[in-house]
Amino acid sequence: MLLTVSPLRPSAFPVAAFLDVAFFGTVPQAPPDGILKLSVLSKADGSPDKVDLGVGAYRTDDGEPWVLPVVRKAEERLAAHPKANHEYLPVGGVSELTSGAQTLIFGANSPAMAEGRTYTIQSISGTGAVMVGAVFLSQFKPQKDAAVYISRPTWGNHRSIFETAGHQVREYRYCNYKTLDLDIDGLLEDLRAAPRGQIVVLHACAHNPTGIDPSEAQWEAIADVMAERGHFPFFDCAYQGFATGDVDRDAAAIRLFVRRGFEMLVAESFAKNMGLYGERTGCLHVVVRSREQIPPVSSQLNRVSRATISTASAYGAKIAGTVLQDPALYSEWLDNMRTMSARIKSMRTALRSRLEALGTPGDWSHVTSQIGMFSFTG
């Protein structure tokens, strides 16, 4: 039997028969990203004198990206490896990266590591680590109505990530906009006034976007209030070693909270301190109260990670893992970071000196008192 099919007339199934309104007709325009918008405008500007100060990425005196010499060596070693491949990564990521990153963030003598109370999974840089942690907390935080408290101001993505994961987001005071230093009294007052058991996002070092970090004594005071109110710390660490040139100093706040007995999540990025911006290399660390909690917690973190990112990126992770596990490369990496950190400090000094020499109105001491990639003018 021969069957013939006649083409449908265009009007046979009018759109209105399916939907009264367009499916995407109610989607509102998202607010523009200020930093990315500035970058686009900068690229479109033909002036030879322009300098793009918006995107947080290290540049040389020539305004070019710097591939760390130690990263070049690690890349050459990986390329020469006879079993080099591009397979999917195992659950949890590259073990050389996760184990090395855990020691880097908590310290080789960490009591939590010695007691088996830590677990680390690979993530898509620090952003992916925050996202996985945010989704995990939305599902398993014991106090279901607990909100996430972020500093005012903070990195632009923090609010978007936690709201996307279903959290209510609130703010605590951080910057004193008159003096451009830490509003420690306002910060402590807000954390003390918050309901018990809230989730508090803390910047481990080189606060983004202010460059204002608490002192050691101020960190102790923050930990006191967090313990008093039963708050849960979620550290975001994007600049370890890059901020001061000292990996231990830049992780001091995290290690303080570990010593004080806090459970916590820590998001870590290797974008800045290894220059692996586009390779999206990072980790999410968890510290629990007892080692018996690691199997269920790790299983759920891996489940959330697979559902969120499927599998992390391999190339940058293998580079970072190679550097972290080789004593000679690790030592050279520390030198490379000190080079970047020292240059940033010298640029701050030069900028402040020039502003003051020009008689620019205002007090410019904040340019050198702040730290890291950002100078916050208020």
PDB file of all heavy atoms in Angstrom, residues 2 28 59 90 95 113 122 232 237 240 291 308 312 326 339 348 352:
ATOM      1  N   LEU A   2       0.554   2.171  -0.814  1.00  0.00           N
ATOM      2  CA  LEU A   2       1.307   3.420  -0.915  1.00  0.00           C
ATOM      3  C   LEU A   2       0.596   4.498  -0.120  1.00  0.00           C
ATOM      4  O   LEU A   2      -0.583   4.750  -0.304  1.00  0.00           O
ATOM      5  CB  LEU A   2       1.423   3.846  -2.389  1.00  0.00           C
ATOM      6  CG  LEU A   2       2.159   5.169  -2.629  1.00  0.00           C
ATOM      7  CD1 LEU A   2       3.607   5.043  -2.166  1.00  0.00           C
ATOM      8  CD2 LEU A   2       2.074   5.551  -4.098  1.00  0.00           C
ATOM      9  N   PRO A  28      11.982  39.258  32.213  1.00  0.00           N
ATOM     10  CA  PRO A  28      12.424  40.664  32.263  1.00  0.00           C
ATOM     11  C   PRO A  28      13.888  40.800  31.865  1.00  0.00           C
ATOM     12  O   PRO A  28      14.647  39.825  31.890  1.00  0.00           O
ATOM     13  CB  PRO A  28      12.236  41.025  33.737  1.00  0.00           C
ATOM     14  CG  PRO A  28      12.462  39.732  34.452  1.00  0.00           C
ATOM     15  CD  PRO A  28      11.908  38.659  33.548  1.00  0.00           C
ATOM     16  N   ARG A  59      48.097  42.022  35.321  1.00  0.00           N
ATOM     17  CA  ARG A  59      48.724  42.403  34.067  1.00  0.00           C
ATOM     18  C   ARG A  59      50.173  42.828  34.306  1.00  0.00           C
ATOM     19  O   ARG A  59      50.527  43.279  35.398  1.00  0.00           O
ATOM     20  CB  ARG A  59      47.957  43.565  33.415  1.00  0.00           C
ATOM     21  CG  ARG A  59      46.563  43.204  32.932  1.00  0.00           C
ATOM     22  CD  ARG A  59      46.608  42.261  31.743  1.00  0.00           C
ATOM     23  NE  ARG A  59      45.282  41.945  31.216  1.00  0.00           N
ATOM     24  CZ  ARG A  59      44.603  40.849  31.534  1.00  0.00           C
ATOM     25  NH1 ARG A  59      45.114  39.987  32.405  1.00  0.00           N
ATOM     26  NH2 ARG A  59      43.411  40.621  31.000  1.00  0.00           N
ATOM     27  N   PRO A  90      37.634  11.702  37.570  1.00  0.00           N
ATOM     28  CA  PRO A  90      36.907  10.850  38.512  1.00  0.00           C
ATOM     29  C   PRO A  90      36.043  11.700  39.439  1.00  0.00           C
ATOM     30  O   PRO A  90      36.178  12.924  39.506  1.00  0.00           O
ATOM     31  CB  PRO A  90      38.028  10.145  39.288  1.00  0.00           C
ATOM     32  CG  PRO A  90      39.196  11.070  39.180  1.00  0.00           C
ATOM     33  CD  PRO A  90      39.088  11.695  37.818  1.00  0.00           C
ATOM     34  N   SER A  95      42.932  14.164  42.192  1.00  0.00           N
ATOM     35  CA  SER A  95      43.321  13.984  43.596  1.00  0.00           C
ATOM     36  C   SER A  95      44.552  14.799  43.959  1.00  0.00           C
ATOM     37  O   SER A  95      44.686  15.268  45.097  1.00  0.00           O
ATOM     38  CB  SER A  95      43.572  12.500  43.885  1.00  0.00           C
ATOM     39  OG  SER A  95      44.615  11.993  43.054  1.00  0.00           O
ATOM     40  N   MET A 113      42.313  18.249  59.705  1.00  0.00           N
ATOM     41  CA  MET A 113      42.823  17.242  58.769  1.00  0.00           C
ATOM     42  C   MET A 113      43.334  16.022  59.522  1.00  0.00           C
ATOM     43  O   MET A 113      43.078  14.879  59.113  1.00  0.00           O
ATOM     44  CB  MET A 113      43.933  17.849  57.901  1.00  0.00           C
ATOM     45  CG  MET A 113      43.436  18.829  56.852  1.00  0.00           C
ATOM     46  SD  MET A 113      44.783  19.612  55.922  1.00  0.00           S
ATOM     47  CE  MET A 113      45.655  18.180  55.271  1.00  0.00           C
ATOM     48  N   GLN A 122      36.799  19.023  43.721  1.00  0.00           N
ATOM     49  CA  GLN A 122      37.184  19.998  42.711  1.00  0.00           C
ATOM     50  C   GLN A 122      35.946  20.717  42.209  1.00  0.00           C
ATOM     51  O   GLN A 122      34.833  20.165  42.183  1.00  0.00           O
ATOM     52  CB  GLN A 122      37.882  19.306  41.552  1.00  0.00           C
ATOM     53  CG  GLN A 122      38.482  20.254  40.518  1.00  0.00           C
ATOM     54  CD  GLN A 122      39.101  19.513  39.351  1.00  0.00           C
ATOM     55  OE1 GLN A 122      39.595  18.406  39.497  1.00  0.00           O
ATOM     56  NE2 GLN A 122      39.067  20.122  38.178  1.00  0.00           N
ATOM     57  N   PHE A 232      27.018  29.950  60.888  1.00  0.00           N
ATOM     58  CA  PHE A 232      27.830  29.023  60.083  1.00  0.00           C
ATOM     59  C   PHE A 232      28.696  29.821  59.108  1.00  0.00           C
ATOM     60  O   PHE A 232      28.166  30.588  58.294  1.00  0.00           O
ATOM     61  CB  PHE A 232      26.921  28.067  59.306  1.00  0.00           C
ATOM     62  CG  PHE A 232      27.654  27.087  58.431  1.00  0.00           C
ATOM     63  CD1 PHE A 232      28.105  25.876  58.942  1.00  0.00           C
ATOM     64  CD2 PHE A 232      27.893  27.371  57.088  1.00  0.00           C
ATOM     65  CE1 PHE A 232      28.786  24.971  58.136  1.00  0.00           C
ATOM     66  CE2 PHE A 232      28.567  26.475  56.281  1.00  0.00           C
ATOM     67  CZ  PHE A 232      29.014  25.273  56.804  1.00  0.00           C
ATOM     68  N   CYS A 237      37.673  32.175  49.329  1.00  0.00           N
ATOM     69  CA  CYS A 237      39.108  32.451  49.303  1.00  0.00           C
ATOM     70  C   CYS A 237      39.597  32.437  47.855  1.00  0.00           C
ATOM     71  O   CYS A 237      39.902  31.383  47.306  1.00  0.00           O
ATOM     72  CB  CYS A 237      39.870  31.425  50.135  1.00  0.00           C
ATOM     73  SG  CYS A 237      41.636  31.777  50.305  1.00  0.00           S
ATOM     74  N   GLN A 240      44.508  33.485  47.943  1.00  0.00           N
ATOM     75  CA  GLN A 240      45.508  32.994  48.887  1.00  0.00           C
ATOM     76  C   GLN A 240      46.912  33.067  48.277  1.00  0.00           C
ATOM     77  O   GLN A 240      47.181  32.522  47.221  1.00  0.00           O
ATOM     78  CB  GLN A 240      45.210  31.551  49.306  1.00  0.00           C
ATOM     79  CG  GLN A 240      46.142  31.054  50.403  1.00  0.00           C
ATOM     80  CD  GLN A 240      45.896  29.611  50.785  1.00  0.00           C
ATOM     81  OE1 GLN A 240      45.054  28.923  50.189  1.00  0.00           O
ATOM     82  NE2 GLN A 240      46.640  29.111  51.757  1.00  0.00           N
ATOM     83  N   ARG A 291      34.540  12.839  62.251  1.00  0.00           N
ATOM     84  CA  ARG A 291      34.896  12.142  61.021  1.00  0.00           C
ATOM     85  C   ARG A 291      33.784  11.226  60.531  1.00  0.00           C
ATOM     86  O   ARG A 291      33.714  10.906  59.339  1.00  0.00           O
ATOM     87  CB  ARG A 291      36.193  11.364  61.218  1.00  0.00           C
ATOM     88  CG  ARG A 291      36.134  10.228  62.225  1.00  0.00           C
ATOM     89  CD  ARG A 291      37.508   9.615  62.477  1.00  0.00           C
ATOM     90  NE  ARG A 291      38.153   9.240  61.240  1.00  0.00           N
ATOM     91  CZ  ARG A 291      39.481   9.146  61.085  1.00  0.00           C
ATOM     92  NH1 ARG A 291      40.279   9.426  62.101  1.00  0.00           N
ATOM     93  NH2 ARG A 291      39.991   8.761  59.946  1.00  0.00           N
ATOM     94  N   THR A 308      25.189  19.875  39.370  1.00  0.00           N
ATOM     95  CA  THR A 308      25.409  21.287  39.086  1.00  0.00           C
ATOM     96  C   THR A 308      26.372  21.509  37.936  1.00  0.00           C
ATOM     97  O   THR A 308      26.124  22.327  37.047  1.00  0.00           O
ATOM     98  CB  THR A 308      25.942  22.006  40.344  1.00  0.00           C
ATOM     99  OG1 THR A 308      25.062  21.746  41.433  1.00  0.00           O
ATOM    100  CG2 THR A 308      26.034  23.511  40.127  1.00  0.00           C
ATOM    101  N   ALA A 312      34.251  18.576  36.590  1.00  0.00           N
ATOM    102  CA  ALA A 312      35.073  19.788  36.547  1.00  0.00           C
ATOM    103  C   ALA A 312      36.078  19.711  35.401  1.00  0.00           C
ATOM    104  O   ALA A 312      36.278  18.664  34.775  1.00  0.00           O
ATOM    105  CB  ALA A 312      35.791  19.976  37.877  1.00  0.00           C
ATOM    106  N   ASP A 326      54.729  18.913  43.639  1.00  0.00           N
ATOM    107  CA  ASP A 326      56.165  18.858  43.377  1.00  0.00           C
ATOM    108  C   ASP A 326      56.867  19.925  44.223  1.00  0.00           C
ATOM    109  O   ASP A 326      56.612  21.126  44.044  1.00  0.00           O
ATOM    110  CB  ASP A 326      56.436  19.103  41.891  1.00  0.00           C
ATOM    111  CG  ASP A 326      57.909  18.964  41.548  1.00  0.00           C
ATOM    112  OD1 ASP A 326      58.685  19.902  41.843  1.00  0.00           O
ATOM    113  OD2 ASP A 326      58.279  17.923  40.990  1.00  0.00           O
ATOM    114  N   THR A 339      56.213  37.727  43.536  1.00  0.00           N
ATOM    115  CA  THR A 339      56.472  38.695  42.471  1.00  0.00           C
ATOM    116  C   THR A 339      55.216  39.492  42.153  1.00  0.00           C
ATOM    117  O   THR A 339      55.247  40.727  42.057  1.00  0.00           O
ATOM    118  CB  THR A 339      56.969  37.979  41.204  1.00  0.00           C
ATOM    119  OG1 THR A 339      58.232  37.366  41.478  1.00  0.00           O
ATOM    120  CG2 THR A 339      57.120  38.956  40.041  1.00  0.00           C
ATOM    121  N   ARG A 348      50.404  50.332  43.983  1.00  0.00           N
ATOM    122  CA  ARG A 348      49.599  51.102  44.931  1.00  0.00           C
ATOM    123  C   ARG A 348      50.386  52.310  45.446  1.00  0.00           C
ATOM    124  O   ARG A 348      49.862  53.426  45.511  1.00  0.00           O
ATOM    125  CB  ARG A 348      49.184  50.216  46.110  1.00  0.00           C
ATOM    126  CG  ARG A 348      48.076  49.238  45.806  1.00  0.00           C
ATOM    127  CD  ARG A 348      47.693  48.462  47.070  1.00  0.00           C
ATOM    128  NE  ARG A 348      46.544  47.603  46.859  1.00  0.00           N
ATOM    129  CZ  ARG A 348      45.289  47.988  46.936  1.00  0.00           C
ATOM    130  NH1 ARG A 348      44.998  49.240  47.201  1.00  0.00           N
ATOM    131  NH2 ARG A 348      44.306  47.130  46.755  1.00  0.00           N
ATOM    132  N   ARG A 352      49.345  56.214  44.742  1.00  0.00           N
ATOM    133  CA  ARG A 352      49.108  57.170  45.828  1.00  0.00           C
ATOM    134  C   ARG A 352      50.069  58.360  45.743  1.00  0.00           C
ATOM    135  O   ARG A 352      49.645  59.521  45.883  1.00  0.00           O
ATOM    136  CB  ARG A 352      49.251  56.474  47.177  1.00  0.00           C
ATOM    137  CG  ARG A 352      49.071  57.425  48.354  1.00  0.00           C
ATOM    138  CD  ARG A 352      49.284  56.752  49.693  1.00  0.00           C
ATOM    139  NE  ARG A 352      49.244  57.737  50.776  1.00  0.00           N
ATOM    140  CZ  ARG A 352      49.429  57.442  52.054  1.00  0.00           C
ATOM    141  NH1 ARG A 352      49.657  56.178  52.422  1.00  0.00           N
ATOM    142  NH2 ARG A 352      49.387  58.398  52.976  1.00  0.00           N
TER     143      ARG A 352
END
